Amino acid sequence: MELNELPEDIIIQILKHVGFMYIHELGLWDASLVLLAVCRKWRCLAAPLIYSGVYIHYSENNDTLASSEPKSAVLRTSIDLVAATNNTSLVKYIDVNIECAIFPFRGLEKVIETLKAVAPTWPSVNKLVINLEYMYGIQDNTMLDAAALENATLNIVAELGVLLPSLHKLIMDDCATCNIHNNLYEGLANRYAGRLQLLESSQEIQPLDVLAFSRLTSLALTFTSFFKHYVPQVCVESLRRLSLAEIPSFNVWLLFRRANEPAISFTELKHLYIKYRFGNFDEMSVDVNQVRLRFPNIKCLTVKCLHQYCPVLANGVFPAYLHKLDIECSAAACRLADKLAIQCIQELKLGLQCNAADLPGAFPAVERLLSKTVGRKNVMVSIVNGSIGCMLNTKWPRITGLQTLAPTTVHEMLTILNCVPSLTKLMLHSFTLHELSSVMDIPEIESDRPLAPLHTDLRLVMLSYRASITPAEYVIAIIKYLAVRTPSLERVVAWQLPLNSLTEFVAEYKSVYPHLRNIEFVGQETDRSLVF
């Protein structure tokens, strides 16, 4: 089947993925235009995706004072190209990126000047993505007058409010924490609060009136302070997506509670992502442990918590069926997850970060979580600390991926492959050296009789090792063994691997093991690969 023979909805998903990579990950908006030149069908399908947004990028080079003029400034935008193709009616969002030495309002003023000429022709714009960056990491604004900053902020917010009156999605992101950005982001949030449906901010937003964000259905916040915790006053019953990153305190959840109610009910929430900041939490004095957190309709849950306690896992009330559960946690938090009244998990990703002594005690909980998985979707398990050997007696139904960042023996690797035939992805970080002498003889490919294949669906093997500790010959021997015994294998990635050492091996034995010609060996260090 050719690509154009696929259903249109699938082609659109492919174009979305490629377009997102070009525009957002690589920053090559112009390169995404190649999708329009493939054929007439692709042009019709890709045009609404590519022309749905325009970017405005302002950068300046200035190593002098904030009040001085920049030595050089560059304004790049896709506005003219969109206008030249008569596709302004397709524009739905504006992506603004500003890189300034110190003072970001210079760039914002340039952006507003640009928007004034074209914004009236974009009646459908409903989303603004704004990213402010300090080029040199200078965050000292003590030389700037506070009153001037406040006036500049008010003017910027007021003018954007006039130019983009239909905005209901606001994304504010940067990699610096300072009062200038915080005041601007709060001003924008306040301006559009009454109509916002989506709000994402890398800065905490000061709480407003309880009705200010009554229409909000998607909220994403990154906490920047250990001491002051702000959450916009929202209607928790209306939220469908909630993301809280770098949470500094378990009691943050109390900011969502009304009065002293014994429970907080997120009745419409479908997706929840929470990540706790690493640090010393006072886990014995949390107030939230007396409050129930109800998520009756949640579908996807992601929890990243390395502490011994987690309010969502300890006090959460969930439905019996989850589409996806992704947890990266300590052994204690894993045991809390096991106690949840969840009967079925369609897709599971489990990461354990704990001491080696705590790991064996966590595996009964791991086993019970694995037994709840249903369907054929991915079941990924990641072990960060401790030996994987304690998992060998665990029942793993339908697990498809395993990653370990702890040293692994070859015996453990082979046992896993034999015990988990459904495994398609195996990622190993390092190997123990006490088997070195025996591993060198494992392949036995000098024999005239081919080795019996392993009963596994393994497709991808990723090996990461330290060349200063583990000899390359050792890793090559393991790869040879996996290659000749795994007919399903398609790709091997090994960091710092000398790929030339595999050339003679494949050339000599691909007549005995024909599937070798279908394996791609990738050396990540040199960004080269060998395909036979």
Side-chain angles (χ1 to χ4, degrees), residues 383-389 404-410 412 428-434 464:
I383 309 300
V384 178
N385 294 319
S387 172
I388 199 173
T404 173
L405 301 182
T408 306
T409 69
V410 176
E412 291 168 348
L428 303 177
H429 182 262
S430 59
F431 297 94
T432 56
L433 295 179
H434 66 272
S464 177

Side-chain angles (χ1 to χ4, degrees), residues 205-261:
I205 304 297
Q206 292 272 9
L208 304 175
D209 183 81
V210 68
L211 298 179
F213 290 90
S214 57
R215 296 185 179 183
L216 205 64
T217 60
S218 180
L219 174 64
L221 293 178
T222 298
F223 292 87
T224 57
S225 172
F226 263 112
F227 309 105
K228 297 184 297 182
H229 313 136
Y230 299 123
V231 172
Q233 296 298 318
V234 299
C235 179
V236 295
E237 294 85 359
S238 300
L239 286 177
R240 297 179 182 177
R241 286 179 175 269
L242 177 61
S243 174
L244 303 176
E246 303 301 325
I247 301 176
S249 169
F250 295 127
N251 290 329
V252 161
W253 290 99
L254 297 179
L255 300 177
F256 291 98
R257 183 170 64 164
R258 295 174 181 170
N260 292 317
E261 294 180 356

Side-chain angles (χ1 to χ4, degrees), residues 33-50:
L33 299 178
V34 71
L35 299 175
L36 303 174
V38 175
C39 63
R40 183 177 299 176
K41 181 177 182 179
W42 277 39
R43 185 177 185 85
C44 294
L45 297 178
L49 304 177
I50 294 175

Side-chain angles (χ1 to χ4, degrees), residues 424-427 457-463 479 482-483 486-495 515-524 527-531:
T424 61
K425 182 187 298 183
L426 179 63
M427 293 174 282
D457 292 328
L458 194 64
R459 299 283 193 275
L460 170 65
V461 173
M462 301 181 69
L463 305 176
I479 291 176
L482 289 174
T486 314
S488 59
L489 194 61
E490 298 174 352
R491 199 163 191 255
V492 177
V493 180
W495 281 259
H515 68 278
L516 288 180
R517 69 189 66 188
N518 299 323
I519 301 177
E520 179 185 9
F521 298 98
V522 181
Q524 201 72 358
D527 197 25
R528 295 187 299 117
S529 65
L530 299 176
V531 183

